Amino acid sequence: MPCARPVLAVTLLCAPLLACPGKAPPRGEGPAPRVFHVPKGCEKSQAGDYYHAQNPAFRYRGEDDGGTLVLSVLRAQEDGGVRAEATPDGGSSGSSASLAIHLERTEQGFVGETRAVGYTQTGAECPIRFPTEVVSCSERALTLRAADKALFDEQCQPPPPAAKGPAPTRTEQVLVRGAPDAGTP
């Protein structure tokens, strides 16, 4: 059995090397992790279905990738289903105004905009954007604060600063998680 000893010796010498942990990467290298300043509970995924607390006919479907939350606007149907709220032309004109709320977790908060469609006095369609922010997140609801109006002229442009008047107020909107009760439209 003279051959067994050299094999055993090599195995015993290599075993400690295999058990050693790898070299730790030096500190201070690589990008620093991004720090979000969002309301408590908002760091969790907000994906799911919601309805507006004051008007349950407005429904929302949230998709959340951990950094961005997009709430697509849906409309309740008489048959009990929902459909995506499209631009007035059905989206066929390639209108850039999608009816959705786009929010990002940032160092400045959970902020973004509501993208909608407004109309001039002559009926022309204008894409409009309302500043929007998340105020709170819970297991039951998502509370947003958004401007309550947008001012624009016949060319869909905001009025000059001197003509704007007071800034639009921001109101809170509560989106309740899930589907409304059966007796609610």
Side-chain angles (χ1 to χ4, degrees), residues 114-177:
T114 298
R115 299 175 186 176
V117 175
Y119 297 92
T120 64
Q121 291 180 346
T122 60
E125 177 183 317
C126 294
I128 56 174
R129 295 169 187 253
F130 294 90
T132 305
E133 66 180 310
V134 177
V135 176
S136 68
C137 301
S138 71
E139 294 295 322
R140 187 182 155 287
L142 185 63
T143 303
L144 309 176
R145 183 178 300 134
D148 59 359
K149 65 180 175 179
L151 302 174
F152 51 91
D153 62 19
E154 285 295 320
Q155 288 75 40
C156 299
Q157 299 300 312
K164 280 189 178 179
T169 57
R170 292 186 177 210
T171 57
E172 289 190 4
Q173 307 292 328
V174 177
L175 306 183
V176 180
R177 195 177 287 273

Side-chain angles (χ1 to χ4, degrees), residues 32-68:
R34 201 167 159 200
V35 178
F36 298 132
H37 296 285
V38 298
K40 183 180 177 185
C42 294
E43 62 281 346
K44 298 176 187 174
S45 175
Q46 300 302 311
D49 291 336
Y50 295 85
Y51 65 93
H52 195 280
Q54 292 178 324
N55 185 350
F58 285 99
R59 312 281 177 87
Y60 305 84
R61 179 152 298 134
E63 294 181 21
D64 192 341
D65 67 8
T68 302

